[in-house]
Amino acid sequence: RNAGDYLAQAAASMRFKTGMELVISEMREAGDCLLDASNRMNIAVEEIAVIPDNEDPLNNVQAARRPHLVQCVQRAVDPLRICGDALEATSAAIMQRRTVPEIGSVLERGAYALSDLVYVMEDLARDSGDYENGVVSAQRLGYAAMKMKEASDLLMDVTPVEKPKGKGWLKGGLQ
């Protein structure tokens, strides 16, 4: 159901926007979501700090893990904020028609921040009761960070794209 809703929304968006406008809009939306998550995590840390130990709403087993949870949430705040800022700055750079290497360097900051978030997610996964889902989430974040880094490298012309030699393109050499 959700996938169908997203496809319908994407189709409606494509009807009125160019490809570049869609990319800018989605990058800004993603950046805004990450910034909002960063702000909410700051609020969560503040709220946990004011709960007295004897009134902990968590059960005793989870209460013992509370300091580690707070530490992980605090460690996640900066990478979320930096990545959100980078995505918004990337879309702004595209709108301002900055050079392609400048856009790539801004995107690279977001990729490194997302990589930092992977370590936090892995730490949370080890501590949670749902280790498998936590690891899968960390892996997905790692894959996203890797793809962001690849995109930034291509934009900055850091890694040359290997071109097929001869008639390799006929046999599926281009992908």
Side-chain angles (χ1 to χ4, degrees):
R1 180 173 176 267
N2 286 342
D5 291 345
Y6 286 125
L7 285 174
Q9 183 180 357
S13 295
M14 290 179 69
R15 184 173 172 201
F16 300 109
K17 292 182 179 179
T18 65
M20 186 171 77
E21 289 171 333
L22 276 173
V23 168
I24 290 169
S25 174
E26 292 302 316
M27 289 181 85
R28 292 186 73 197
E29 180 68 25
D32 190 43
C33 287
L34 291 173
L35 290 172
D36 188 42
S38 173
N39 291 336
R40 288 176 187 256
M41 286 189 152
N42 269 331
I43 292 169
V45 168
E46 291 170 7
E47 287 177 352
I48 288 174
V50 297
I51 297 174
D53 287 336
N54 59 354
E55 294 180 18
D56 197 337
L58 303 172
N59 63 30
N60 291 335
V61 175
Q62 291 176 337
R65 294 188 214 155
R66 186 170 71 168
H68 185 259
L69 175 65
V70 170
Q71 179 188 14
C72 285
V73 170
Q74 286 173 331
R75 285 180 31 220
V77 170
D78 282 340
L80 284 169
R81 183 186 48 76
I82 292 168
C83 190
D85 285 340
L87 286 173
E88 289 211 358
T90 301
S91 62
I94 293 170
M95 286 190 321
Q96 295 168 351
R97 308 253 189 237
R98 298 248 175 100
T99 65
V100 175
E102 286 177 334
I103 294 169
S105 68
V106 174
L107 190 60
E108 184 179 41
R109 276 187 310 186
Y112 286 133
L114 202 56
S115 293
D116 292 343
L117 191 59
V118 170
Y119 298 115
V120 176
M121 287 299 293
E122 288 173 344
D123 221 9
L124 282 170
R126 276 191 288 279
D127 227 22
S128 74
D130 194 7
Y131 179 75
E132 289 180 21
N133 282 332
V135 169
V136 169
S137 295
Q139 289 172 346
R140 287 181 179 169
L141 280 174
Y143 182 74
M146 180 182 71
K147 288 300 180 180
M148 276 179 78
K149 179 68 173 117
E150 285 177 14
S152 69
D153 286 348
L154 286 172
L155 290 171
M156 293 186 305
D157 203 21
V158 171
T159 54
V161 178
E162 291 186 29
K163 296 179 182 175
K165 294 177 176 44
K167 294 184 181 181
W169 57 274
L170 287 174
K171 298 178 184 176
L174 293 177
Q175 295 180 9

